[in-house]
């Protein structure tokens, strides 16, 4: 019966669709010298597929299941139970039954599920499907149907729905192995599952079968092993063990009181097990989660899967310790980037950047090791993000850093050393005009280019982009605005007891392209609001082609013109815009519709200018009040600082806006090139280009073999949470807020925009789902400039990632929104709809009610 039953030793890594993740890994384990694996075989997915296709009722049930969403709990339970009953009642065909029973004897067996989406690098489905232990040979066939049925347990269905896995695409193989009856069993992690440190292995051990430990029935012994020695141990009180039952299956048995606090393994056995784990890890090339048994004096491995939660480590090419700081936490984009996006950002920035997990990191080892630069680095980064600063202090205290080179340069923060400028609006005007001229020149130069000429132009123009971005007159303007805000906050607190006074003084400053964008969308709403037919049309839109249909609606031509005008100015923006591969608003204008329609509902005509003027009046009133309370000599100095603040702080947003505009010019030309490659049969899809690095575009035919693997890797990276600080050992170093005197249960963060506000929390993960009303408090993971249009509606802001001078903080201050950023796990700890209070001056959030 070809491909219905395979010996584990015959299964290769290419057969995942046939044997499932668990069987693939077991097959690989059998090929590692010195690793014992219980003998066995796999009933493949072909057998499962035949059972499903021979039972029409299953197809109907799967159709109904595909229409459910993760929150449809009752329907998931009902359909899942019906699918399980149906699969458990399937009659195993005679030829399959003969192929299985012919491999069995009177021994006992472990019968284990092996789904095609299980135990793979992208998403570990470990524990989602059933395992049956100590199954007598004659009962194995019956347990095939039970394993098949476990594909549709409530937790397995929900897990796939949350992970976006198609129920019809997942098939179930079943592994049958000779049963091992161990005296001890447990789990070995070859990297610390909490800190991700690759040099630390963790062993959990208990008496009897390991399933008691996996399912949480016992408190295991826990060992931490590093550099060949046990560095920590906790001996659990093991009151029960899971043991084979006489008639098959398992049963819980009480452990004798005198054995409960005895270790399940000797120290030598722990170290021997870790050495075995390192061998397995080396074979698979990444940290492993290993299930083991100890029978007699021999370790047997019954499973090994990737640890999907550990963050990858940048490649270094040496054995030195390195310390990396996340770029995404500074840029407000912690999602993974595709290969083209990574390479473009690396080509744009002046500092070398390492890659890991689809994210970028800066190596700060030398600056941390050098006393001359260490304090400056920590102070500068910690001022913007206290969690980052605290993590770096932890690194210095306990990580053994290599000596700093004698000629290591001191770390200079962006703009460090630049002299503060006196207020000069003409300078800002001149810089912005320079950006506009440079962008126009880039558009003219790239027009009509393709192939090698296009790539040569982009490569050269990226150097021009860097020249314009880092213009010697640009950074002093930005730094002058930042220093003015800091000076005002420090001195007005000292002189008048005014906390964060610069927040109010910076409202409605001129030349802030990002805040102007949020207000400009209000103008679009003003055009649409008096045209009810347009409103009804937009409320029914389901795709991004709606602009072409608007002129057919009464008043639609004017509405289309308003939207197109907005997109001409801002359509190159989007969430995660530093990744050139992300879809822009011009490419997916439907992303803006919830915001536009929200503005139509929530604002009166003329809101743009009214809001801007209100902010300007508040800033002017604050200035008059402060100056009137100061001594004359202090007032004069304060007035100059306010002038610098209001003249220069809006400009800070423009360099990034220009870069994103230029990126979009490149992207449009590259997508046209991708279309030519698709037509020539080189690429299967135009967006396959996004999974190639820029330098690989010179020979895309050769590089296309990389695309499938990179797509798979990118999907796996989406499940990872990038750390602020990471070492080359893989250890994630976390920071903490060291604050006292806060209310019980307060969620601590960084105060970035003054004021206190109470309202309904709207936990929003994407702009497309941002159905906001006036008075709502926006709670999200991070905000980059693309979120600005949402700020005009909400009353406050809470983010998980952010710093004092990141875009969300700057715009929140300008709009007068109390804001707290860097609130870890805010989107999980705060439920959508809860009432919360945001303390934007003190830097914490209170949850007030359900």
């Amino acid at each position: 019966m070809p491909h219905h039953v395979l010996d584990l030793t015959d299964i290769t890594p290419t057969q995942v669709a046939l044997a499932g993740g668990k069987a693939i890994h077991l097959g690989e384990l059998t090929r590692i010298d010195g690793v014992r694996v219980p003998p066995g075989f796999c009933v493949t997915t072909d057998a499962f597929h035949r059972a499903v296709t021979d039972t029409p009722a299953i197809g109907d049930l799967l159709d109904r299941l595909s229409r459910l969403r993760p929150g449809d709990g009752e329907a998931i339970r009902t359909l899942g139970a019906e699918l399980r009953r149906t699969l458990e009642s399937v009659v195993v065909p005679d030829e399959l039954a003969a192929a299985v029973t012919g491999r069995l004897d009177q021994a006992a067996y472990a019968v284990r599920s092996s789904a095609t989406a299980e135990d793979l690098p992208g998403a570990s489905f470990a524990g989602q499907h059933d395992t049956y232990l100590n199954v007598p040979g004659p009962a194995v066939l019956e347990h095939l149907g039970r394993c098949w049925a476990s594909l549709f347990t409530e937790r397995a269905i929900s897990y796939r729905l949350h992970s976006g896995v198609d129920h019809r695409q997942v098939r179930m193989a079943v592994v049958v192995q000779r049963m091992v009856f161990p005296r001890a069993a447990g789990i070995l992690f070859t990297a610390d599952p909490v800190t991700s440190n690759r040099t630390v292995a963790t062993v959990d051990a208990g008496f009897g079968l390991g399933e008691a430990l996996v399912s949480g029935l016992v408190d295991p012994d826990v060992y931490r092993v590093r550099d060949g020695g046990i560095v920590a141990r906790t001996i659990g009180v093991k009151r029960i063990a899971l043991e084979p039952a006489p008639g098959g299956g398992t049963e819980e048995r009480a452990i004798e009181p005198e054995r409960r606090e005895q270790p399940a393994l000797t120290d030598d056995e722990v170290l021997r097990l870790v050495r075995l784990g390192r061998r397995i890890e080396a074979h698979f090339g990444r940290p492993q989660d290993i299930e083991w048994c100890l029978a007699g004096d021999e370790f047997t491995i019954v499973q090994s899967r990737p640890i999907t939660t550990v963050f990858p480590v940048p490649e270094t090419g040496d054995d030195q310790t390195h310390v990396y700081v996340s770029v995404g936490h500074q840029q407000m984009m912690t999602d993974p980037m595709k290969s083209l996006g990574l390479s473009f950002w690396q080509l744009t920035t002046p500092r070398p950047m390492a890659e890991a997990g689809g994210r970028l990191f800066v190596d700060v080892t030398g600056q941390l090791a050098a006393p001359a630069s260490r304090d400056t680095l920590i102070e500068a980064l910690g001022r913007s993000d206290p969690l980052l600063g605290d993590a770096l202090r932890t690194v210095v205290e306990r990580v053994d850093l290599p000596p700093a080179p004698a000629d290591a340069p001191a770390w200079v923060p962006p703009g460090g050393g630049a002299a503060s400028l006196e207020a000069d609006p003409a300078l800002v005007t001149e810089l912005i005009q320079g950006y506009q001229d440079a962008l126009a020149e880039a558009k003219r130069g790239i027009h009509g280019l393709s192939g090698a000429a296009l790539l040569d132009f982009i490569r050269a123009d990226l150097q021009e982009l860097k020249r314009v971005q880092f213009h010697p007159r640009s950074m002093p303007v930005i730094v002058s605005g930042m220093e003015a805000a800091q000076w005002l906050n420090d001195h007005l607190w000292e002189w008048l007891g005014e906390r964060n006074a610069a927040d109010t003084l910076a409202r409605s400053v001129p030349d802030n392209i990002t805040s102007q964008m949020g207000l400009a969308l209000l103008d679009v709403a003003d055009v649409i609001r008096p045209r009810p037919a347009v409103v009804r049309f937009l409320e029914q839109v389901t795709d991004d082609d709606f602009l072409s249909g608007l002129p057919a609606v009464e008043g639609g031509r004017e509405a289309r013109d308003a939207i197109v005008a907005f997109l001409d100015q801002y359509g190159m923006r989007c969430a995660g815009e530093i990744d050139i591969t992300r879809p822009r608003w011009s490419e997916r204008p439907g992303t803006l519709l919830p915001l536009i329609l929200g503005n139509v509902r929530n604002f009166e005509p003329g809101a743009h200018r009214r809001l801007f003027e209100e902010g300007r009046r508040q800033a002017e009133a604050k200035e008059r009040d402060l100056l009137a309370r100061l001594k004359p000599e202090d007032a004069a100095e304060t007035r100059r600082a306010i002038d610098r603040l209001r003249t220069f702080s809006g400009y800070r947003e423009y360099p990034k806006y220009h870069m994103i505009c230029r990126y979009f010019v490149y992207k449009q030309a590259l997508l046209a090139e991708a279309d030519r490659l698709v037509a020539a049969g080189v690429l299967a899809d135009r967006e396959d280009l996004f999974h190639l690095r820029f330098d690989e575009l010179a020979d895309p035919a050769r590089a296309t073999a990389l695309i499938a693997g990179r797509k798979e890797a990118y999907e796996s990276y989406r499940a990872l949470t990038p750390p602020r600080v990471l070492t080359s050992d893989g250890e994630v170093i976390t920071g903490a807020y060291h604050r006292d005197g806060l209310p019980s249960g307060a969620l601590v963060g960084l105060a970035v925009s003054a004021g206190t506000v109470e309202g309904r929390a709207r936990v929003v993960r994407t702009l497309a789902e941002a159905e906001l009303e006036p008075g709502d408090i926006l709670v999200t993971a991070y905000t980059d400039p693309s979120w600005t249009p949402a700020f005009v509606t909400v009353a406050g802001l809470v983010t998980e990632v952010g710093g004092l001078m990141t875009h969300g903080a700057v715009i929140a201050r300008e709009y007068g929104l109390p804001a707290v950023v860097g609130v870890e796990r805010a989107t999980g700890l705060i439920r959508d709809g809860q009432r919360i209070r945001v303390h934007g001056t003190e830097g914490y959030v209170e949850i007030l009610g359900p």
Side-chain angles (χ1 to χ4, degrees):
M1 192 169 194
H3 299 311
H4 279 54
V5 180
L6 295 174
D7 192 278
L8 290 179
T9 58
D10 295 330
I11 297 173
T12 67
T14 62
Q15 294 176 301
V16 64
L18 188 65
K22 186 178 273 94
I24 289 293
H25 284 275
L26 287 168
E28 278 297 287
L29 286 167
T30 66
R31 286 183 275 279
I32 306 175
D33 289 341
V35 175
R36 294 166 59 93
V37 179
F41 58 90
C42 174
V43 179
T44 69
T45 58
D46 283 352
F48 171 79
H49 180 63
R50 177 173 175 181
V52 170
T53 54
D54 287 351
T55 312
I58 294 177
D60 296 337
L61 292 169
L62 287 175
D63 286 340
R64 292 163 59 190
L65 195 64
S66 67
R67 294 190 285 271
L68 299 184
R69 294 195 285 185
D72 299 332
E74 185 58 38
I76 289 172
R77 281 189 290 274
T78 301
L79 277 175
E82 195 168 349
L83 275 161
R84 292 195 301 276
R85 285 194 299 270
T86 304
L87 279 166
E88 287 176 359
S89 65
V90 168
V91 177
V92 176
D94 291 342
E95 62 270 32
L96 175 60
V100 171
T101 56
R103 293 170 176 260
L104 304 173
D105 54 28
Q106 295 305 306
Y109 293 88
V111 183
R112 311 168 72 193
S113 62
S114 181
T116 53
E118 186 174 29
D119 293 342
L120 298 178
S124 177
F125 283 64
Q128 301 301 323
H129 309 117
D130 287 350
T131 288
Y132 299 94
L133 301 179
N134 194 30
V135 177
V140 167
L141 283 179
E142 172 191 342
H143 285 77
L144 284 183
R146 294 184 182 180
C147 281
W148 291 341
S150 73
L151 198 59
F152 298 102
T153 61
E154 183 180 347
R155 63 177 178 173
I157 293 170
S158 297
Y159 194 93
R160 289 195 297 274
L161 288 172
H162 281 288
S163 303
V165 177
D166 187 343
H167 302 294
R168 287 186 174 276
Q169 297 304 313
V170 180
R171 297 182 179 181
M172 180 70 79
V174 179
V175 171
V176 181
Q177 289 176 283
R178 189 174 293 273
M179 188 69 191
V180 178
F181 300 102
R183 63 178 173 87
I187 300 170
L188 162 64
F189 294 100
T190 64
D192 189 310
V194 177
T195 69
S196 299
N197 192 328
R198 267 58 164 188
T199 67
V200 176
T202 302
V203 174
D204 290 8
F207 294 124
L209 294 166
E211 270 63 24
L213 187 152
V214 173
S215 59
L217 291 174
V218 299
D219 292 326
D221 303 337
V222 180
Y223 299 85
R224 288 165 54 84
V225 177
R226 181 171 188 166
D227 298 331
I230 296 173
V231 296
R233 79 184 77 218
T234 303
I235 304 302
V237 180
K238 301 171 286 296
R239 290 183 170 82
I240 63 169
L242 199 65
E243 301 285 359
T250 60
E251 62 184 14
E252 294 179 17
R253 295 180 191 167
I255 296 174
E256 300 88 337
E258 63 273 14
R259 292 183 62 219
R260 290 176 181 174
E261 296 186 48
Q262 291 181 4
L265 298 176
T266 65
D267 285 2
D268 179 69
E269 287 168 342
V270 170
L271 297 178
R272 186 154 54 95
L273 174 61
V274 170
R275 289 194 295 271
L276 184 62
R278 292 296 183 206
R279 186 179 304 171
I280 295 169
E281 178 186 60
H283 179 86
F284 286 110
R286 62 184 299 175
Q288 296 289 298
D289 167 359
I290 299 168
E291 296 177 23
W292 56 269
C293 298
L294 179 63
D297 193 41
E298 295 290 340
F299 283 104
T300 299
I301 304 301
V302 295
Q303 184 52 286
S304 184
R305 62 177 70 88
I307 305 177
T308 59
T309 56
V310 296
F311 199 84
V313 177
E315 296 182 5
T316 61
D318 61 46
D319 295 328
Q320 296 287 322
T321 297
H322 293 262
V323 179
Y324 301 97
V325 169
S326 165
V327 173
H329 285 79
Q330 306 300 306
Q331 289 295 327
M332 298 301 95
M333 216 294 272
T334 54
D335 295 342
M337 298 166 69
K338 296 187 176 76
S339 296
L340 190 65
L342 290 168
S343 62
F344 258 93
W345 190 252
Q346 289 168 314
L347 289 167
T348 305
T349 55
R351 184 161 185 158
M353 293 185 178
E355 293 180 33
R359 280 82 168 185
L360 292 170
F361 295 83
V362 173
D363 188 338
V364 296
T365 312
Q367 289 72 38
L368 279 180
S373 59
R374 178 187 305 144
D375 292 342
T376 305
L377 172 71
I378 294 175
E379 180 182 354
L381 295 180
R383 179 182 288 275
S384 174
D385 183 347
L387 294 177
L388 175 55
D390 191 61
L392 290 176
R393 280 187 284 271
T394 300
V395 169
V396 172
E397 290 169 2
R398 65 179 182 83
V399 175
D400 187 15
L401 297 173
D407 58 349
W411 188 82
V412 179
S420 187
L421 304 173
E422 289 302 316
D424 182 3
L427 177 55
V428 175
T429 301
E430 178 185 338
L431 286 168
I432 290 175
Q433 186 61 53
Y435 281 120
Q436 293 172 345
D437 293 343
L439 180 63
E441 181 63 27
K443 289 179 177 179
R444 286 192 295 269
I446 205 170
H447 180 71
L449 296 182
S450 63
L454 172 62
L455 300 181
D456 289 344
F457 175 87
I458 292 176
R459 190 175 291 107
D461 197 68
L462 282 167
Q463 297 306 310
E464 176 64 13
L465 169 59
K466 290 169 71 171
R467 186 193 68 79
V468 176
Q469 287 295 104
F470 305 106
H471 191 286
R473 301 182 69 187
S474 179
M475 189 54 73
V477 169
I478 295 172
V479 171
S480 294
M482 294 168 61
E483 288 182 346
Q486 184 176 331
W487 188 94
L488 288 164
N489 284 335
D490 291 346
H491 286 79
L492 293 174
W493 169 250
E494 177 186 347
W495 293 337
L496 300 177
E498 286 274 351
R499 189 185 295 274
N500 298 335
D503 292 359
T504 303
L505 294 168
R507 290 179 185 172
S508 297
V509 296
D511 301 313
N512 189 321
I513 190 70
T514 304
S515 62
Q516 289 169 2
M517 174 179 68
L519 296 173
L521 205 61
L522 291 171
D523 293 338
V524 175
D526 285 353
V527 175
I528 292 171
R529 190 180 295 106
R531 295 171 168 85
V534 172
V535 174
R536 288 193 297 271
F537 175 85
L538 295 179
E539 287 174 340
Q540 303 302 316
V541 165
T542 58
D543 56 46
D544 291 305
D545 296 330
F546 66 91
L547 288 173
S548 60
L550 261 177
V553 179
E554 183 181 357
R557 190 172 300 277
E558 294 83 356
R560 183 200 60 185
D561 292 346
I563 296 173
V564 169
F566 178 87
L567 293 174
D568 287 343
Q569 182 77 8
Y570 303 108
M572 74 298 297
R573 311 216 83 153
C574 67
E577 62 189 12
I578 67 170
D579 181 354
I580 194 173
T581 72
R582 286 291 188 101
R584 310 285 139 173
W585 288 342
S586 287
E587 296 168 319
R588 294 188 184 172
T591 305
L592 293 171
L593 288 183
L595 297 170
I596 293 172
L597 292 170
N599 288 346
V600 168
R601 291 191 301 269
N602 298 325
F603 293 94
E604 295 296 324
H608 173 169
R609 281 147 193 84
R610 189 165 56 253
L611 289 172
F612 186 84
E613 285 303 311
E614 181 182 343
R616 189 177 59 79
R617 285 195 299 271
Q618 290 171 345
E620 290 175 348
K622 188 69 171 178
E623 179 178 359
R624 287 193 300 271
D625 172 64
L626 293 170
L627 295 178
R629 294 157 56 195
L630 288 170
K631 298 176 182 178
E633 61 273 21
D634 294 338
E637 194 172 2
T638 299
R639 182 180 291 107
R640 289 195 297 272
I642 293 172
D643 287 346
R644 290 197 302 274
L645 174 73
R646 293 195 59 79
T647 299
F648 293 140
S649 60
Y651 169 77
R652 183 186 180 277
E653 294 291 307
Y654 207 94
K656 185 173 185 181
Y657 169 75
H658 170 77
M659 183 190 72
I660 297 305
C661 288
R662 212 147 176 157
Y663 269 20
F664 192 45
V665 172
Y666 303 152
K667 182 182 184 182
Q668 289 173 305
L670 288 172
L671 282 175
E673 184 70 11
D675 289 336
R676 287 188 284 272
L677 293 171
V678 171
V682 176
L683 296 179
D685 182 86
R686 70 193 313 235
E687 293 193 1
D688 284 353
L689 190 84
F690 296 160
H691 294 282
L692 299 177
R693 302 183 66 82
F694 179 73
D695 288 342
E696 293 167 346
L697 301 183
D699 191 358
R702 176 179 296 179
T704 51
L706 304 170
I707 291 173
R710 287 182 179 170
K711 285 182 176 180
E712 182 179 325
Y714 174 77
E715 290 303 317
S716 72
Y717 297 153
R718 293 175 64 184
L720 298 176
T721 300
R724 283 177 168 82
V725 178
L726 178 71
T727 73
S728 50
D729 288 337
E731 184 174 10
V732 172
I733 309 292
T734 58
Y737 294 104
H738 300 284
R739 308 252 299 275
D740 298 320
L742 297 180
S744 175
L747 307 181
V748 188
L750 175 64
V752 297
S753 185
T756 301
V757 66
E758 180 180 321
R760 178 181 65 164
R762 296 313 309 264
V763 180
V764 178
R765 288 169 176 79
T766 67
L767 271 179
E769 60 184 62
E771 296 184 4
L772 303 167
E773 297 180 4
D776 285 345
I777 297 172
L778 175 62
V779 181
T780 190
Y782 63 82
T783 60
D784 61 9
S786 71
W787 285 79
T788 304
F791 285 22
V792 299
T793 301
V794 298
L797 174 68
V798 179
T799 68
E800 295 177 336
V801 176
L804 194 61
M805 293 307 297
T806 50
H807 299 279
V810 171
I811 303 304
R813 289 194 289 272
E814 179 158 341
Y815 283 3
L817 304 178
V820 180
V821 303
V823 181
E824 295 201 294
R825 299 187 297 118
T827 59
L829 296 173
I830 300 172
R831 294 196 309 273
D832 186 57
Q834 281 186 310
R835 289 199 66 78
I836 63 174
R837 183 181 296 127
V838 177
H839 296 264
T841 305
E842 292 80 14
Y844 66 93
V845 179
E846 292 180 280
I847 299 176
L848 303 177

